[in-house]
Amino acid sequence: MSPQRRATPPLLVVAAIVTVQLGGALAATLVPVLGALPTVALRLGLGATVLLLATRPGVRGHGRSGWLAVVALGTTLAVMNSTFYASLARLPIGVAVTVEFLGPLTLAAALSRRLVDALSVAAALAGVALVSGALSIPWAALDHLGIGLALAAGACWAAYIVCSQRVGRHFPAVDGLTLAMLVAAALVVPLGLAQADPAALTPGRWGAAFGVALLSSVIPYSLELLALRDLDARVFGVLLSLEPAAAASAGLVVLGQRLDRPQVVGMALVVLASVTVMRGRSAPRPTAPT
C-alpha cells in the first residue's frame, strides 16, 4: 500500500469527526424545542433521503449475509442515535459523551495486542474524562437511567464500527450505508413523528434539521465507511478518542463554550494516545473485493 493510501483512511476519520461534532452542536439547538426522538427521526429520515437520491443503491446481486449486515447496521444506527439523544435529556452532555465513549474505547482495548496500546487507551479514557468535565460531577448527582442509556449508546457505537466494516465488504461505495440508513429511518421516523409537535417544525428548524442530517449522518457515516475498508478497527477506535476534543472545539466555535485548563490537558492526552497507536498499528485485515 502506498504512503498516500495509508494516510487517507485516518484523514477520512478526522474529517468525519469534525463534521459530526458540528452537526451535534447544531442538533443541540433543536433537542430542547423538538424533543430527542423527533430530532433523531428528522436526522435519520432526511439523511436517508439524501443518500438514496445521491447513490441510488442497487438491491440485486447481494447474498443473505450482505442483507443481514445491512439490517444489523441499520438497527445499530437507530438504537445508537435514539439512546444517546435520550441520555442527553437526563445527563449533562459532557457526562453522556464520556460514558458513551466507553464503547469504542473498550473495543479498541479488546483488539489491542501491545501493552503500549492498552496504556494509550487508558490515557485516552483519562483525557476523555478531562475534556468532558465528568471528573467534577459527583456520582450521586447523576441520573442512573441516563447513564444506562449512554452505556447502551456506547455499546451500539462499538457495534457500529464492526457492522460498518462488514457492510463495506459486501456493498460498493456507500450503497450499504444508504440501505442501512433506510432501515434506521424506518425504525425511528414513525415513532418520532408520533411525538413531534407540528407547530414546532418551523422552516428555520427544518433547515437546521437538514444541516444536522448532512453533518451528523450523511457526511461522517460515508467517510467512516470508506475509511473502515482499509483501517484496522483498533486504530479507528482510538482515533475516535478525538471526538470529545472535537466536540469541545465545536462548542467553542458554535455555542461560545470556552475550554478550561483541564480540558486542554485532556485534549493533549487523547491526541497523544491516537498518535501512539497509529505509529504501532498492525496491518489492516484484507477485505473482500467489491
Side-chain angles (χ1 to χ4, degrees):
M1 184 183 296
S2 67
Q4 182 177 3
R5 185 176 176 183
R6 284 198 300 268
T8 298
L11 291 177
L12 291 176
V13 175
V14 171
I17 290 170
V18 172
T19 57
V20 78
Q21 294 307 329
L22 289 174
L26 186 58
T29 67
L30 292 178
V31 172
V33 292
L34 299 182
L37 201 57
T39 302
V40 175
L42 287 171
R43 168 180 167 174
L44 292 177
L46 292 172
T49 301
V50 171
L51 281 172
L52 182 62
L53 294 175
T55 64
R56 299 180 182 273
V59 296
R60 296 182 179 180
H62 303 294
R64 180 173 178 269
S65 59
W67 286 111
L68 287 175
V70 163
V71 172
L73 179 57
T75 303
T76 298
L77 287 171
V79 178
M80 178 176 69
N81 285 285
S82 298
T83 52
F84 179 67
Y85 276 68
S87 75
L88 290 181
R90 309 183 69 93
L91 295 176
I93 188 169
V95 176
V97 170
T98 299
V99 175
E100 184 197 26
F101 201 76
L102 291 177
L105 277 176
T106 300
L107 176 63
L111 295 175
S112 176
R113 297 179 181 178
R114 303 188 312 156
L115 176 60
V116 68
D117 293 336
L119 294 175
S120 296
V121 170
L125 181 57
V128 167
L130 286 170
V131 169
S132 67
L135 296 180
S136 62
I137 300 175
W139 172 260
L142 299 179
D143 186 309
H144 295 124
L145 175 57
I147 292 173
L149 290 167
L151 283 172
C156 290
W157 194 351
Y160 161 73
I161 296 171
V162 176
C163 291
S164 292
Q165 285 187 311
R166 292 177 179 173
V167 168
R169 292 169 184 158
H170 289 283
F171 292 84
V174 294
D175 284 11
L177 172 64
T178 301
L179 296 170
M181 284 285 287
L182 289 171
V183 171
L187 292 173
V188 175
V189 168
L191 297 175
L193 290 180
Q195 295 185 15
D197 178 8
L201 292 172
T202 63
R205 288 169 185 158
W206 273 106
F210 184 73
V212 170
L214 289 180
L215 293 172
S216 296
S217 293
V218 176
I219 296 175
Y221 290 161
S222 299
L223 293 176
E224 288 175 359
L225 184 64
L226 294 174
L228 283 167
R229 294 176 187 274
D230 295 306
L231 191 64
D232 184 86
R234 172 174 55 86
V235 178
F236 181 73
V238 178
L239 272 175
L240 288 179
S241 62
L242 295 171
E243 289 272 8
S249 299
L252 175 64
V253 174
V254 179
L255 304 174
Q257 300 172 348
R258 296 188 175 277
L259 303 176
D260 56 27
R261 185 172 298 177
Q263 289 176 316
V264 173
V265 172
M267 292 173 68
L269 279 175
V270 294
V271 170
L272 178 61
S274 298
V275 171
T276 300
V277 175
M278 284 295 293
R279 286 181 175 177
R281 69 183 187 183
S282 58
R285 294 182 293 273
T287 59
T290 57

